[in-house]
Amino acid sequence: MANVVLERLSKTYAGGHAAVREVSLDVQDQEFVVLVGPSGCGKTTTLRMIAGLEEISAGEIKINGRVVNHIAPKDRDIAMVFQNYALYPHMTVYKNMAFGLELRQGVGWPRRIWRRLTDRGWSGKWRLQREEIQNRVRQTAAMLGIERLLARFPRELSGGERQRVALGRAIVRQPQAFLFDEPLSNLDARLRVDMRRELKRLHQQLKITVIYVTHDQVEALTLGDRIVVMNEGRVQQVGRPMEVYDKPSNLFVAGFLGAPPMNLMSGRLEKRDGGCVFSGSGVRVEGVGGGFSGFSELPRDVVLGVRPENVAIRPLGGLAEKRGESSGVKPVAAKILSVENLGDAMLVHVSPAAMENQKSVGESRPLVCRTHERASWVAGQAVQLEIQEKNIHWFDETTGRRLMFDS
Ligand code: ATP
């Protein structure tokens, strides 16, 4: 298996569009790394450069320490699985899976052509190779549960079955690394969940190195040992999924990961009565900064971020007796705008109502709370919101970078 290193990898297309800008990444042997980001951020271009399907404008790609910038795709010993499966329509499933091996080892019809050209007879060596290919295809088909499909043609398969065949075709080759380009996006929601589990299992079983591209954050968070969040051709953050979710390094990552995304409010953070006050976006949050060590930098323009699942919502007055056991952040009064029932939880959209008439805290921006409390929330209801200090994320409003004065 392989270790794949990208060093300041860049791609500028004809016309001057910089699709990938100085991407550096070290994918360890047997690691499952997911490139995730919005459409057009350069994920596929990065993957295609690794596969050798796209020319590199600058930078270096190393596989197991060898620079492969100018090595042909077939000699990189990498298998790529595409979103559209790219199966050969006129070949059976068996043939689709065996074809790449036959080409490499010179058996099957490529071998027959070669034999006709060279007029050399059948030998035990070729028979052995054919048997080896048959065994590998059958073992892989068994592992993927597609043995019964081996005689069918791609048009006779469902989307999920086709995807398994495409996977099988990559696996039988036993390449050094696997590249996946949105392999599950043509499947329905249920099948995607099944295939996600299957991919995870295969990764553990085969101990393979995987670089996987998706725009789906759930896929990224569930599959990746590490995820690489990209935007506008640049890497925004690399880390373990929960590390990136819990400590996004900038506003882009904070707003990209999470559904619904993190509530982000622009405002000013200043010292007040031994603590700090945040005011902006229609909210005044008092008592923040209990653990701050960076007071010297205040006042400053910041963005306060809090995930919907970290905003506790209670009927008005329901928090007072609980405040003693919570953090020093004072509850924020709000009014419900609308409620969405998700089955296992509710999304409650609120407006920080009490601040509506205070010009100093700016224009009110709705917040989203995700709650499991099955209270009968209704639009117009007055509520209180409680946020724990440890769940507040601070970002510099100008640079968008995470502020590290969290204790
Ligand atoms: P998606 O999730 O939509 O596939 P992506 O993150 O994979 O997006 P890329 O396909 O890598 O994005 O494209 C990155 C940028 O490069 C986009 O702005 C795209 O329009 C541009 N691009 C891609 N291929 C070419 C090309 N052959 N010529 C010019 N520009 C291109």
Side-chain angles (χ1 to χ4, degrees), residues 13-14 17 19 37-46 54 182 213 215:
Y13 282 110
H17 178 66
S39 183
C41 72
K43 316 177 287 286
T44 298
T45 304
T46 304
E54 201 72 70
E182 308 248 11
V213 157
H215 63 271

Side-chain angles (χ1 to χ4, degrees), residues 18-35:
V20 176
R21 303 167 198 226
E22 305 207 332
V23 167
S24 293
L25 185 66
D26 189 346
V27 181
Q28 301 294 311
D29 184 28
Q30 300 184 21
E31 197 177 17
F32 198 129
V33 168
V34 181
L35 308 185

